[in-house]
């Protein structure tokens, strides 16, 4: 049975290919639908029509669309995402350098959300009609109504301005800390690898509020799904068998019920990631988090389109990969999927 | 019946709270079972047979409340036992197999592991010993290639195989009582016979008492020493199998026998039972069968009804028995 | 499982009570849901208030939402300015009230657009199957391959920074929900007796879809509309917050929160708090409304 896992991963990878192709095509089309003329923009306001034409030629914008697409794809294959107008740096390198910040924030938010939502959903499902069940329902409905940029500001006001518990919302480290040497790009991990506890403390303190803001946003859908699926599983026949066999309530609840109940939860994680990656952009802006979201916003304001395009493509590919991960995880939990593959 | 009974259900009444009223699912149910004995509990759908077995196992729906009675297992009252004591009994001293075996097993846990879970819980074995015993149990329920099958998941097995696994799981700790709740429902006919023979053989081997819950009077007749007939939450008649068929005393039992196909009886001779089970909400007449009964007289709607002995070891709940 | 511990669900009151006309029965059911669930009743009331503010907002607002008064800048809430003033001295209460119309219009337009396009595509896919279904399915998958807010960002960035494009982008990311729902509901009804009867009596495809299929899938779709309104408002406000779409000085909840964001760290909380809270309440209201509508339409799907 062990050999079926790599085979399943391979199949899922193949199944994800059309999504990646679609993403590349759409991202390409979005750039070509740009308002205005990138060539004129590059050339500057004082350029002669001939100069604009020359730049258009050098950018390849005068060639037919399929040819432009081919060179775009060829560029992507070489890791060439174009060049940022504002910084003059290659977009690919800039995104790669900022990506770990975004991923660290998103993962921290996700972990927090799971830590809150799954126990909440289980507690609500095991005591239907109790105050904790009603509480979970209110949290679920209220949670999906939260504008994440607003809750982030509110948290900043309360925990930074009023209580002084949190540091200023100014990025990944406070002013006096120095970044640990880059290994993974995740400050929490790198600082520990470098045994720099001061940097770890600073990185952790900076991360708490944005991660909570992001996590709170994902609590609602996960808790709602956990509750519903746990309720379904708890009333199923095999749970009755387990109880009739005298298994301890902990074993029944976790080894039998929860593991089955997590299957639909894992499926909804696709939607949750879609929300999280979107909300990530807003949270990065609120907390001046130097990830790819704030990179995209800065570029948008400067009408610098190559970074925006690179950002959208990166996010989409990240999302496709996360969905792939979800599929694999599902297969690991559910033997029916694994063996069908 | 000799000595103290293994299981003694005494005046058990149980009801469900629902949005539309209280459903009196069981009323004054009294039954007992000796060690090694096989008892059939027979009735239509909704007569309360499964509710009764769930109550004995302590796995009733949360909406259920026991309003009266006791359930004694070797002298210990299961209804007042702590959940810890109850958990120590279930799976070890008393076990249960269910209908629809394919959904009664955990779909994402190998079947061997599920048997091991029960053994680890009750038998005080190490992982390796439990593993060995689980495979041994699969062999005893005549599953071919048990070593390999222990790693299989329920969806990879047929319904009959799954029921064999259920039986292995229930009997893993050699319980004194097995409750089989419609164990052959959903299986094809030859598998049904094989499963019932397996239960019979294993019960005889280990001196295990068995309660067979079924709507099929013929099946109960084949496999049980005694039969209890249930109707609308009442046990209307209990008698040794041969006596019940030879001389039923309750009109409902007689009707039930008349509806059961058997050799030498043509389909035309099978008579349906008129009417339906009464609505168990609200106030009910003393005899819940009266509305469907051809022998109804004013005395039937009189005072409270109590089971009485029509013959030694033959009790009946009827004001005008046959 | 004919004899389980759970008794069969009892017949509904409708079966016991004397028969009512369908309309009266529906009204009775709505009244039942509202009295059973005061939260749903509150969400209906909140919805009414929002509509009123949307229509009469400019008449109710105590000040001109655009009039700046630098002498009265950054004032905390007071008798004169209940919600305080912003960095240009504009009255926040007036701006919040007047913004209602724009926020509701954007999200309503987006949801209607998504509803129309999505349900037509979904009904066609569900009814015809085959190639139509595959093409529409592929398009939907393409949209869903992106994190939705990121796709909306991309569309607005590409097409230009206008309110129309915000509506378009919000509609595009909502379309998949309607397509999938309409497709599933149509599929389930394609072989239904009444559709077959309509076909046999000589109705054309479009007549069948328009008169016989669509009205039947409308109720579940309306629930989706209500739930999506909340999501659309959040999305549009989010885009404004990062500087896409609505531009200053137009009053809009998302942009007002963005304007107040810089002042949070120096303690001027009211600039962001009031528009943010109203935004949150509006979304909350639509979500509760959606849940309530679901209870009214299908009591079994209560969660």
């Amino acid at each position: 049975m062990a050999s079926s896992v790599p085979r399943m991963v391979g199949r899922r990878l193949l199944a994800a290919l059309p999504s990646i192709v679609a993403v590349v095509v759409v991202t390409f089309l979005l750039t070509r639908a740009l308002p205005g003329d990138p060539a004129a923009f590059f050339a500057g306001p004082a350029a002669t029509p001939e100069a604009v034409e020359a730049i258009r030629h050098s950018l390849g914008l005068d060639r037919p669309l399929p040819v432009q697409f081919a060179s775009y794809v060829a560029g992507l294959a070489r890791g060439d995402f174009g060049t940022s107008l504002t910084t003059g740096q290659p977009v690919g390198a800039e995104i790669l350098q900022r990506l770990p910040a975004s991923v660290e924030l998103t993962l921290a938010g996700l972990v927090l959300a799971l830590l809150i939502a799954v126990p909440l959903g289980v507690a609500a499902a095991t005591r239907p009609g109790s105050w904790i069940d009603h509480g979970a329902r209110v949290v679920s409905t209220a949670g999906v109504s939260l504008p994440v940029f607003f809750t982030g500001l509110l948290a900043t006001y309360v925990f930074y301005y009023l209580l002084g518990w949190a540091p200023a919302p100014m990025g990944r480290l406070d002013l006096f800390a120095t970044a640990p040497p880059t290994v993974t790009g995740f400050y929490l991990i790198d600082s520990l690898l470098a045994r720099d506890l001061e940097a770890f403390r600073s990185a952790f303190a900076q991360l708490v509020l944005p991660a909570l803001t992001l996590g709170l946003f994902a609590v609602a859908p996960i808790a709602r799904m956990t509750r519903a699926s746990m309720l379904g599983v708890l009333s199923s026949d095999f749970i009755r068998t387990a109880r009739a066999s005298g298994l301890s309530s902990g074993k029944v609840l976790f080894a039998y019920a929860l593991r089955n109940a997590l299957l639909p939860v894992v499926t909804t994680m696709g939607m949750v990631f879609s929300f999280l990656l979107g909300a990530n952009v807003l949270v990065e802006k609120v907390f001046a988090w130097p990830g790819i979201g704030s990179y995209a916003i800065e570029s948008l304001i400067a009408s610098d389109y190559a970074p925006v395009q690179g950002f959208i493509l990166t996010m989409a590919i990240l999302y496709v990969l996360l969905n792939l991960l979800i599929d694999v995880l599902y297969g690991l939990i559910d033997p029916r999927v694994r063996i069908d593959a | 019946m000799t000595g103290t009974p293994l299981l003694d259900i005494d005046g058990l009444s149980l009801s469900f709270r629902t949005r539309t009223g209280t459903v009196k699912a069981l009323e004054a149910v009294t039954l007992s079972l000796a060690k090694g004995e096989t008892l059939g509990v027979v009735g239509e759908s909704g007569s309360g047979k499964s509710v009764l077995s769930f109550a004995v196992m302590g796995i009733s729906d949360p909406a259920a409340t026991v309003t009266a009675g006791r359930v004694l297992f070797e002298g210990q009252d299961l209804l007042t036992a702590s959940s810890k004591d109850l958990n120590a009994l279930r799976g070890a001293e008393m076990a249960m197999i269910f209908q629809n075996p394919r959904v009664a097993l955990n779909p994402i846990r190998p079947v061997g592991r599920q048997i091991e879970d029960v053994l680890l819980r009750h038998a005080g074995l190490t992982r390796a010993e439990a593993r060995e015993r689980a495979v041994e149990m699969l062999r005893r329920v005549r599953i071919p290639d048990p070593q390999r099958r222990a790693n299989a998941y329920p969806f990879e097995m047929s319904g009959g195989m799954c029921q064999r696994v259920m039986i292995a799981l229930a009997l893993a700790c050699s319980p004194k009582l097995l409750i089989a709740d419609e164990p052959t429902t959903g299986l094809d006919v030859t598998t049904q016979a094989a499963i019932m023979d397996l239960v019979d053989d294993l019960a005889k081997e280990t001196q295990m008492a068995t309660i067979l819950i079924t709507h099929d009077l013929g099946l109960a007749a084949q496999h049980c020493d005694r039969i209890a007939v249930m109707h609308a939450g009442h046990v209307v008649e209990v008698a040794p199998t041969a006596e019940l068929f030879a001389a039923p005393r309750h009109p409902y039992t007689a009707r039930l026998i008349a509806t059961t196909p058997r050799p030498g009886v043509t389909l035309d001779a099978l008579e349906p039972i008129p009417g339906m089970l009464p609505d168990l909400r609200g106030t009910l007449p003393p005899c819940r069968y009266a509305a469907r009964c051809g022998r109804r007289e004013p005395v039937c709607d009189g005072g409270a009804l109590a089971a009485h002995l029509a013959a030694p070891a033959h009790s009946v709940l009827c004001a005008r028995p046959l | 499982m004919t004899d389980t511990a759970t008794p069969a669900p009892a017949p509904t009151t409708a079966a016991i009570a004397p028969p009512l006309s369908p309309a009266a029965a529906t009204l009775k059911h709505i009244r039942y849901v509202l009295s059973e669930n005061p939260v749903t009743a509150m969400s209906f009331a909140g919805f009414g208030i929002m509509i009123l503010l949307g229509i009469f907002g400019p008449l109710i607002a105590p000040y001109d939402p655009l009039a700046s008064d630098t002498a009265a800048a950054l004032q905390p809430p007071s008798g004169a300015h209940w919600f305080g003033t912003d960095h240009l001295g504009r009255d926040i209460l007036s701006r919040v009230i007047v913004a209602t119309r724009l926020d509701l219009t954007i999200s309503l337009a987006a949801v209607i657009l998504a509803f129309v396009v999505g349900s037509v595509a979904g009904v066609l896919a569900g009814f015809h199957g085959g190639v139509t279904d595959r093409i529409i399915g592929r398009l939907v998958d393409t949209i869903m391959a992106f994190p939705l807010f990121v796709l909306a960002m991309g569309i607005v960035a590409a097409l230009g920074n206008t309110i129309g494009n915000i509506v378009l982008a919000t509609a595009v990311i909502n379309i998949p929900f309607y397509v999938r729902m309409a497709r599933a509901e149509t599929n389930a009804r394609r072989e239904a007796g009444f559709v077959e009867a309509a076909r046999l009596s000589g109705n054309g495809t479009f007549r069948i879809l328009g008169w016989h299929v669509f009205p039947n899938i409308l109720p579940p779709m309306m629930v989706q509309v209500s739930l999506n309104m909340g999501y659309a408002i959040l999305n549009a406000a989010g885009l404004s917050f990062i500087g896409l779409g609505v531009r200053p000085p137009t009053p809009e909840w998302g942009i007002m929160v963005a304007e107040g964001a810089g002042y949070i760290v120096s303690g001027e909380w009211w600039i962001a708090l009031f528009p943010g809270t109203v935004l949150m309440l509006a979304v909350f209201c639509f979500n509760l409304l959606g849940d309530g509508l679901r209870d009214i339409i299908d009591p079994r799907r209560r969660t």
Side-chain angles (χ1 to χ4, degrees), chain A residues 240-241 243 245-246 256 260, chain B residues 90 98 104 106 117 121-122:
Chain A
R240 193 179 57 195
T241 307
R243 288 172 58 208
S245 308
Y256 277 63
N260 275 279
Chain B
R90 285 194 290 236
F98 302 90
N106 188 339
D117 286 338
R121 170 75 179 82
H122 297 294

Side-chain angles (χ1 to χ4, degrees), chain A residues 112-177:
Chain A
L112 272 176
L114 287 173
L115 285 180
I116 300 170
V118 171
L120 191 65
V122 170
T126 46
R127 298 172 193 79
S130 68
W131 64 267
I132 197 156
D133 185 22
H134 291 299
R137 277 179 67 165
V138 172
V139 167
S140 303
T141 313
V144 292
S145 314
L146 293 178
V148 68
F149 52 91
F150 177 58
T151 42
L153 287 175
L154 221 53
T156 304
Y157 181 70
V158 173
F159 295 105
Y160 166 68
Y161 182 80
L162 286 185
L163 300 173
W165 294 355
M170 300 293 171
R172 300 176 79 185
L173 286 174
D174 64 57
L175 284 175
F176 309 105

Side-chain angles (χ1 to χ4, degrees), chain A residues 60-80:
Chain A
L61 295 174
D62 54 349
R63 288 179 291 167
L65 266 188
V67 178
Q68 288 189 41
F69 182 66
S71 74
Y72 172 68
V73 172
L76 287 185
R78 290 193 308 270
D80 178 6

Side-chain angles (χ1 to χ4, degrees), chain A residues 254-311:
Chain A
F254 295 107
Y256 277 63
L258 185 58
R259 226 185 126 198
N260 275 279
L262 280 181
L263 289 172
V265 176
V266 169
T267 311
T268 45
M269 289 308 289
M271 214 55 230
V272 170
F273 272 125
S274 174
F275 287 142
L276 268 183
L277 291 177
N280 192 58
V281 179
L282 298 169
V283 173
E284 283 189 13
K285 167 151 165 136
V286 170
F287 291 93
W289 198 259
I292 59 173
S294 39
Y295 179 55
I297 294 173
E298 287 157 21
S299 310
L300 270 177
I301 292 165
S303 298
D304 185 359
Y305 290 109
V308 177
Q309 187 186 11
F311 157 78

